[in-house]
């Protein structure tokens, strides 16, 4: 359905599944864990070059990977590797 919407209208319709009375809330039968990492301070660049975007995107990916590596064992994923596509 979403692929058809993208081809036909150019957007994806998000489908939420959570509480019956508020589908934006997480399901009650699934554990939801939240962790935080170090603050990533990014500069405001009005017209960034491709190199600047790539540089700061790389910093963001490093920060996300660090959060995953720091907390994965605590949640039972010690042997997993984060794959960012």
């Amino acid at each position: 359905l979403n692929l058809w919407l993208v081809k036909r209208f150019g957007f994806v319709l998000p489908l939420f599944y959570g509480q019956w009375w508020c589908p934006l809330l997480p399901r009650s039968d699934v554990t939801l864990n939240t962790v935080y990492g170090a603050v990533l301070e990014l500069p405001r660049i009005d017209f960034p070059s491709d190199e600047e975007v790539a540089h700061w995107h790389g910093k963001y990916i490093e920060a996300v990977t660090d959060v995953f590596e720091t907390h994965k064992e605590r949640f039972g994923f010690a042997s997993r590797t984060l794959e960012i596509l």
Side-chain angles (χ1 to χ4, degrees):
L1 176 66
N2 275 341
L3 186 57
W4 179 80
L5 286 171
V6 169
K7 287 181 179 180
R8 178 104 173 155
F9 300 108
F11 69 90
V12 175
L13 176 67
L15 300 175
F16 300 104
Y17 178 67
Q19 301 292 334
W20 66 269
W21 47 273
C22 184
L24 296 176
L25 292 176
R27 296 180 359 220
S28 60
D29 63 330
V30 176
T31 302
L32 179 64
N33 300 299
T34 304
V35 295
Y36 298 94
V39 174
L40 181 61
E41 295 191 26
L42 304 174
R44 173 157 177 86
I45 305 172
D46 289 330
F47 302 101
S49 66
D50 290 343
E51 293 79 20
E52 289 170 318
V53 171
H55 170 76
W56 291 107
H57 180 259
K59 294 284 189 186
Y60 174 75
I61 296 299
E62 282 179 28
V64 169
T65 303
D66 184 51
V67 169
F68 178 79
E69 293 296 327
T70 301
H71 299 284
K72 70 180 182 179
E73 189 172 338
R74 188 168 100 191
F75 300 108
F77 300 114
S79 63
R80 296 211 182 159
T81 303
L82 180 62
E83 181 178 347
I84 299 175
L85 305 175

